[in-house]
């Protein structure tokens, strides 16, 4: 009986120690993340980097925690690494059934994709978020912004292509003029 009590006591103590350690990392990560958000005049990638490390430590102990994975993805995004953040957000899409959480994931996935100028996928992500939470003003704004940026990008590409075609036409005209002049010069001799 004493052995059983000792084994249970050791088990409870070690389990509690692991739980305290993971929560310590999360609190640490949350603190660094909050520090990074304090100064809005610059992007504090050092604080967000420290937050990322802390969240990764917590996830080593408890790898399936949705909130910590979400915080990790946010801290990566805040470090100006939208490709890595998008990858993390994509992993989270199927890890929750909570509508509010799913909306946040799709919204932030859209932000990460938009930062990479991946307009169509970002628009799709925002639309998925709005299907869940149709009245979210931030997502509506971001969707409109992504659509505007896509249109602007298409217009710029068209301008660039028109300029390229115009330059090519001018070069072709110059070459044919050189040939004509060259033939006239040869015929004189």
């Amino acid at each position: 009986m004493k052995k059983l009590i000792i084994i249970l006591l050791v088990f409870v103590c070690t389990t509690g120690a692991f739980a305290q350690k993971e929560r310590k990392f999360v609190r640490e990560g949350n603190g660094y993340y909050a520090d990074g958000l304090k100064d809005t005049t610059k992007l504090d990638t050092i604080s967000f980097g420290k937050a990322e490390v802390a969240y990764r430590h917590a996830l080593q102990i408890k790898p399936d925690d949705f909130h910590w994975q979400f915080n990790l993805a946010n801290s990566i995004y805040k470090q100006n690494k939208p490709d890595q953040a998008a990858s993390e957000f994509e992993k989270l899409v199927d890890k929750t059934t909570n509508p509010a959480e799913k909306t946040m994931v799709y919204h932030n996935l859209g932000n990460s994709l938009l930062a990479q100028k991946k307009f169509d996928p970002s628009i799709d992500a925002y639309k998925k978020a709005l299907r869940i939470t149709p009245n979210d003003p931030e997502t509506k704004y971001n969707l409109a912004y992504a659509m505007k940026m896509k249109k602007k990008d298409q217009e710029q590409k068209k301008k660039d292509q028109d300029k390229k075609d115009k330059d090519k036409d001018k070069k072709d005209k110059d070459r044919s003029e050189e040939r004509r002049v060259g033939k006239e010069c040869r015929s004189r001799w």
Side-chain angles (χ1 to χ4, degrees), residues 2-187:
K2 283 185 178 183
K3 286 183 182 182
L4 182 62
I5 292 173
I6 291 173
I7 291 171
L8 284 173
L9 192 61
V10 169
F11 178 73
V12 169
C13 289
T14 57
T15 305
F18 281 124
Q20 287 176 4
K21 191 172 185 180
E22 71 194 29
R23 284 192 295 262
K24 173 188 169 252
F25 288 129
V26 171
R27 280 192 306 272
E28 209 172 84
N30 291 344
Y32 289 131
Y33 192 88
D35 289 345
L37 291 176
K38 281 181 185 172
D39 188 1
T40 58
T41 60
K42 63 181 172 66
L43 190 61
D44 185 358
T45 56
I46 294 171
S47 291
F48 292 122
K50 288 178 180 179
E52 176 188 354
V53 170
Y55 292 133
R56 287 191 190 278
H57 284 307
L59 286 166
Q60 286 176 346
I61 299 167
K62 192 174 176 184
D64 294 328
D65 190 286
F66 171 82
H67 295 99
W68 301 346
Q69 290 173 339
F70 185 81
N71 290 352
L72 171 67
N74 276 339
S75 65
I76 292 170
Y77 177 78
K78 292 290 190 179
Q79 291 175 71
N80 241 355
K81 300 177 188 175
D83 53 333
Q84 291 176 6
S87 174
E88 293 295 326
F89 285 122
E90 285 170 350
K91 292 176 194 175
L92 288 171
V93 168
D94 296 324
K95 290 196 174 189
T96 184
T97 56
N98 180 310
E101 291 174 349
K102 202 169 262 290
T103 298
M104 290 187 318
V105 170
Y106 279 126
H107 178 94
N108 288 3
L109 174 60
N111 291 348
S112 298
L113 294 167
L114 184 59
Q116 298 174 69
K117 297 185 192 259
K118 293 181 178 178
F119 301 112
D120 288 330
S122 70
I123 289 169
D124 289 340
Y126 293 133
K127 285 180 179 179
K128 288 177 182 176
L130 286 171
R131 279 188 205 111
I132 300 165
T133 311
N135 295 324
D136 182 0
E138 287 183 29
T139 304
K140 283 181 178 180
Y141 174 85
N142 287 6
L143 173 61
Y145 181 76
M147 294 170 105
K148 179 181 174 184
M149 294 304 293
K150 177 184 177 184
K151 184 177 178 183
K152 194 173 181 180
D153 185 62
Q154 288 172 335
E155 289 171 356
Q156 185 61 47
K157 285 179 180 175
K158 186 176 179 343
K159 276 184 185 178
D160 292 346
Q161 186 61 44
D162 289 348
K163 185 178 181 327
K164 189 176 178 182
D165 292 345
K166 189 176 177 181
D167 290 346
K168 185 179 183 291
D169 290 345
K170 186 178 182 312
K171 283 182 184 179
D172 290 345
K173 185 178 177 183
D174 289 347
R175 284 188 187 139
S176 61
E177 181 65 26
E178 288 173 5
R179 286 187 198 124
R180 188 185 62 76
V181 170
K183 286 181 183 177
E184 289 175 7
C185 289
R186 281 188 224 127
S187 62

